[in-house]
């Protein structure tokens, strides 16, 4: 579904829409519909979330985590994506959710939505690139150098080789993002085909030449693989004891396993965040949000089924659990950094499995590149309305490349520091802490705007992508699932102490809100009358031409 008219006509309409929302066309509008879809598809990245947390799902529910959990989560996430797509088509602006909430209700709802979304964005960049660093070290760097970079501690208890590699990855991604949206859009398109080709090779070769399943787990049985794990959650002021996954009621264990699928399905709001750089933004952003989930659902399930039907013996899959003399301090399966998917590929495909594992590492890098792009737009948009400390610096747009360079740099630095703190606090469970936080905060923001969409009406006159009479029922289903997520993923599984962080963050936000934001934050600002906005755009275009950067849209 596209808007009628030539590309130039659609851009003029996009700019006019943006003017009505109060903003000038500061960023460079050049992304097509496929590029808009590609950024969300790359962030969902079935070769990132589904790979990182595959052993986590296996530990809690066995094969049912994939065979039942993935399609079940897909239904709820499609409802969430469809509801968000409607909103994206009504308000095509960077920052997306923050602006939607402000306009549907008021600035206060917008402020809370912005912070929830922003914290989730910081965490998802951190989670993706921390995992990418681990995979790149394990599948590429260590095999070249012969070292064990992930476990090498540069500063004991504070900084390891994985965090160093993550810093390098973020620096490269930052430079590419600053260099312009055209380059990022091209890399996102490459990312789509990279993901699909890797999945196709894995599926075809595993089904043709893969070895028999040796796990002993039923295909659709809820059978937690973790039977010996236990851990302490000692925070000083409280010491909580947790048993192995198999000690929980099966339905509870199954619900915990759903983090595997639901963290994979995060970040698809990216299509809305890059709306100001998309041609035909109303329809392209809406379809980008929805189709990125729908396509990922099909491709991801095929990929996961191939892995799940060809597992090695679990003692081979997780060799670190064979030392019976050591009392486990955490789950035997998803604690300590072992990568189950790499072992499955090696078991079935030998050396080809090693090559494909390196391909997955590169896919994770693409995922991080896209996630940084989306998070940078979110931070830029909120800063543009002076919603965050340092807004004056963060909202500056590169005159050469017309990208939110300072906001992108801010996200990269915070994401890396976030991972350092998670490593200091959680060591081996750092990735579980980060993924839980990103899932909860992002979905809290999703739930807020969908709830506002279901309970307000004015925005419906502006949408061009509509669910019709199903709009409200679908929205309420989406809100229901978000509430379930808030409860489910706040539980400290695997020694995951993300809940104290989340509780502390909410307390700090409450203090900040009542101490300053409630009386001083003004919400979305109008940058000027139409003529003033046009003049500002001309200045950007002339400056970019003079400096040899992005040409006018």
């Amino acid at each position: 579904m596209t808007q009628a008219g030539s590309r130039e006509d659609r851009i003029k309409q996009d700019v006019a829409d943006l003017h009505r929302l109060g903003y000038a066309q500061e960023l460079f509008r050049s992304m097509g519909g496929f590029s808009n879809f590609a950024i969300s598809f790359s962030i969902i990245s079935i070769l990132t979330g589904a790979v990182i947390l595959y052993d986590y799902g296996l530990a809690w529910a066995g094969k049912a985590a994939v065979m039942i959990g993935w399609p079940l989560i897909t239904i709820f996430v499609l409802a969430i994506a469809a509801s968000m797509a409607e909103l994206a088509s009504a308000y095509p602006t960077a920052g997306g959710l923050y602006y939607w909430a402000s306009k549907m209700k008021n600035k206060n709802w917008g402020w809370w939505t912005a912070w929830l979304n922003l914290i989730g964005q910081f965490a998802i960049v951190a989670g993706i690139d921390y995992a990418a660093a681990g995979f790149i070290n394990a599948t590429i760097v260590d095999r070249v150098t012969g070292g064990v970079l992930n476990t090498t501690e540069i500063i004991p208890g504070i900084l390891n080789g994985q965090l160093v590699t993550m810093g390098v990855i973020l620096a490269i991604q930052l430079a590419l993002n600053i260099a312009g949206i055209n380059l990022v859009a091209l890399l996102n398109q490459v990312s789509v085909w990279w993901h699909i080709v890797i999945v196709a090779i894995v599926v075809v070769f595993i089904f043709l030449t893969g070895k028999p399943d040796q796990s002993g787990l039923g295909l659709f049985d809820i059978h937690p693989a973790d039977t010996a794990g236990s851990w302490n959650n000692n925070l000083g002021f409280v010491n909580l004891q947790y048993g192995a996954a198999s000690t929980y009621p099966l339905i509870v264990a199954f619900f915990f396993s759903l983090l595997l699928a639901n963290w994979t399905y995060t970040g698809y709001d990216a299509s809305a965040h890059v709306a100001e750089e998309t041609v035909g933004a109303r329809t392209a952003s809406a379809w980008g949000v929805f189709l990125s989930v729908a396509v990922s659902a099909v491709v991801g399930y095929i990929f996961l089924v191939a892995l799940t039907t060809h597992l090695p013996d679990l003692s081979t899959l997780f060799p670190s659990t064979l030392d019976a003399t050591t009392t486990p301090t955490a789950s035997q399966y998803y604690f300590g950094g072992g990568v189950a998917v790499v072992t499955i590929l090696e078991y079935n495909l030998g050396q080809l499995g090693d090559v494909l594992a390196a391909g997955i590492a590169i896919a994770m890098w693409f995922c991080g590149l896209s996630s940084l792009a989306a998070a940078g737009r979110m931070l830029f948009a909120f800063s543009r309305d002076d919603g965050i400390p340092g807004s004056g610096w963060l909202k500056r747009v590169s005159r050469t490349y017309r990208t939110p360079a300072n906001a992108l740099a801010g996200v990269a630095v915070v994401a890396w520091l976030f991972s350092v703190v998670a490593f200091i606090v959680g060591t081996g469970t750092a990735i579980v802490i980060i993924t839980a936080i990103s899932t909860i905060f992002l979905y809290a923001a999703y739930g807020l705007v969908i709830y506002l969409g279901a309970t307000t009406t004015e925005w419906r006159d502006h949408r061009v992508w509509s669910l019709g009479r199903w709009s409200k029922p679908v929205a309420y289903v989406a809100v229901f699932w978000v509430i379930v997520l808030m409860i489910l993923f706040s539980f400290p599984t695997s020694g995951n102490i993300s809940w104290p962080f989340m509780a502390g963050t909410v307390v700090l936000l409450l203090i900040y809100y009542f101490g300053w934001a409630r009386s001083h934050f003004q919400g979305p600002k109008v940058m000027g009358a139409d003529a003033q906005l046009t003049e500002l755009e001309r200045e950007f275009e002339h400056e970019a031409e003079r400096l040899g950067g992005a040409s006018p849209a």
Side-chain angles (χ1 to χ4, degrees):
M1 182 177 179
T2 58
Q3 292 173 308
S6 66
R7 179 182 174 86
E8 290 73 21
D9 289 338
R10 283 182 285 145
I11 291 176
K12 288 179 181 178
Q13 182 60 54
D14 289 326
V15 174
D17 288 340
L18 188 58
H19 283 191
R20 279 193 288 272
L21 299 179
Y23 301 118
Q25 183 68 58
E26 296 180 273
L27 305 179
F28 186 55
R29 192 180 293 274
S30 62
M31 292 179 70
F34 183 74
S35 294
N36 184 281
F37 154 83
I39 190 170
S40 286
F41 180 84
S42 295
I43 295 175
I44 291 175
S45 182
I46 52 178
L47 295 179
T48 301
V51 169
I52 295 170
L53 294 180
Y54 184 85
D55 53 347
Y56 183 93
L58 195 64
W60 278 102
K63 294 184 177 181
V66 167
M67 304 305 295
I68 301 174
W70 185 271
L72 176 65
I73 291 297
T74 295
I75 293 170
F76 288 114
V77 175
L78 281 173
I80 294 169
S83 295
M84 288 175 61
E86 285 194 297
L87 295 166
S89 75
Y91 300 117
T93 177
L97 287 72
Y98 147 70
Y99 188 91
W100 306 345
S102 299
K103 287 301 181 182
M104 287 187 292
K105 196 69 172 180
N106 56 47
K107 67 182 183 68
N108 296 322
W109 283 80
W111 187 89
W112 280 101
T113 301
W115 273 104
L116 292 172
N117 192 218
L118 191 57
I119 293 168
Q121 294 286 350
F122 286 138
I124 197 172
V125 173
I128 290 167
D129 278 332
Y130 184 76
F135 250 74
I136 288 172
N137 283 346
T139 62
I140 300 175
V141 178
D142 283 351
R143 288 172 182 172
V144 173
T145 63
V148 190
L149 192 55
N150 282 339
T151 56
T152 301
E153 297 218 6
I154 312 300
I155 304 176
I158 298 175
L159 185 69
N160 67 353
Q162 188 170 353
L163 286 167
V164 171
T165 301
M166 178 186 177
V168 174
I169 289 172
L170 277 166
I172 295 170
Q173 291 170 344
L174 175 61
L176 293 171
N177 266 286
I178 290 175
I181 193 61
N182 281 341
L183 177 58
V184 173
L186 174 61
L187 290 172
N188 283 332
Q189 292 177 37
V190 172
S191 173
V192 171
W193 296 113
W194 186 273
H195 278 76
I196 291 174
V197 168
I198 292 292
V199 168
I201 294 173
V202 168
V203 171
V204 169
F205 277 89
I206 281 185
F207 278 118
L208 287 179
T209 65
K211 298 178 181 178
D213 185 272
Q214 299 291 331
S215 68
L217 299 175
L219 201 57
F220 294 97
D221 293 340
I222 301 174
H223 190 119
D226 171 22
T227 59
S230 64
W231 62 89
N232 298 330
N233 197 205
N234 191 350
L235 303 176
F237 58 90
V238 61
N239 186 7
L240 302 176
Q241 306 287 328
Y242 301 95
S246 59
T247 65
Y248 289 76
L250 287 183
I251 189 63
V252 174
F254 173 70
F255 268 86
F256 285 150
S257 78
L258 298 179
L259 180 59
L260 160 65
N262 226 122
W263 188 67
T264 305
Y265 285 130
T266 47
Y268 45 89
D269 51 325
S271 290
H273 292 311
V274 295
E276 291 182 28
E277 294 151 285
T278 300
V279 179
R282 286 183 179 273
T283 52
S285 293
W287 279 113
V289 169
F290 184 77
L291 288 179
S292 61
V293 173
V295 175
S296 296
V298 176
V299 178
Y301 196 54
I302 294 171
F303 172 70
L304 290 172
V305 167
L307 297 178
T308 304
T309 54
H310 293 80
L311 296 179
D313 183 271
L314 293 184
S315 63
T316 303
L317 192 58
F318 306 103
S320 62
T321 67
L322 296 181
D323 184 4
T325 63
T326 302
T327 301
T329 57
S331 166
Q332 61 190 33
Y333 291 113
Y334 47 93
F335 182 92
V339 182
V341 169
V342 173
T343 306
I344 297 168
L345 292 176
E346 291 173 344
Y347 165 72
N348 284 283
L349 304 176
Q351 290 186 338
L352 176 60
D354 291 339
V355 174
L356 290 171
I360 289 173
I362 294 171
M364 291 182 179
W365 182 88
F366 278 123
C367 178
L369 176 79
S370 302
S371 187
L372 179 61
R377 271 67 182 178
M378 170 60 215
L379 181 57
F380 159 74
F382 194 31
S383 301
R384 180 169 57 182
D385 294 325
D386 298 320
I388 190 172
S391 289
W393 183 79
L394 290 168
K395 65 184 175 184
R396 292 178 188 170
V397 174
S398 167
R399 295 278 175 168
T400 304
Y401 302 111
R402 295 183 69 174
T403 53
N406 293 355
L408 288 163
V411 171
V413 171
V414 172
W416 188 78
L417 292 176
F418 192 101
S419 296
V420 171
V421 172
F423 175 75
I424 293 171
V425 175
T427 57
T429 56
I431 190 63
V432 182
I433 294 172
I434 296 170
T435 53
I437 289 171
S438 63
T439 302
I440 290 170
F441 277 94
L442 284 176
Y443 272 91
Y446 297 174
L448 275 180
V449 294
I450 293 170
Y451 167 75
L452 292 177
T455 55
T456 61
T457 58
E458 190 274 337
W459 68 275
R460 297 177 184 277
D461 295 332
H462 303 288
R463 63 182 173 176
V464 297
W465 197 97
S466 175
L467 294 172
R469 63 191 180 92
W470 292 101
S471 180
K472 283 192 176 184
V474 169
Y476 284 121
V477 168
V479 171
F480 161 76
W481 184 246
V482 169
I483 293 172
V484 172
L485 284 180
M486 296 303 99
I487 299 170
L488 193 59
F489 299 140
S490 294
F491 194 91
T493 56
S494 186
N496 170 16
I497 59 169
S498 54
W499 63 271
F501 169 85
M502 291 182 285
T505 300
V506 171
V507 169
L508 291 175
L509 287 176
L510 284 168
I511 294 171
Y512 182 29
Y513 173 71
F514 286 106
W516 181 85
R518 190 180 185 186
S519 56
H520 292 85
F521 178 60
Q522 301 301 310
K525 295 181 178 180
V526 175
M527 296 176 66
D530 192 68
Q532 293 172 300
L533 299 178
T534 300
E535 182 58 32
L536 178 61
E537 291 158 1
R538 289 191 182 124
E539 292 175 10
F540 266 94
E541 291 168 0
H542 293 157
E543 185 71 3
E545 288 178 316
R546 185 182 70 81
L547 295 173
S551 60

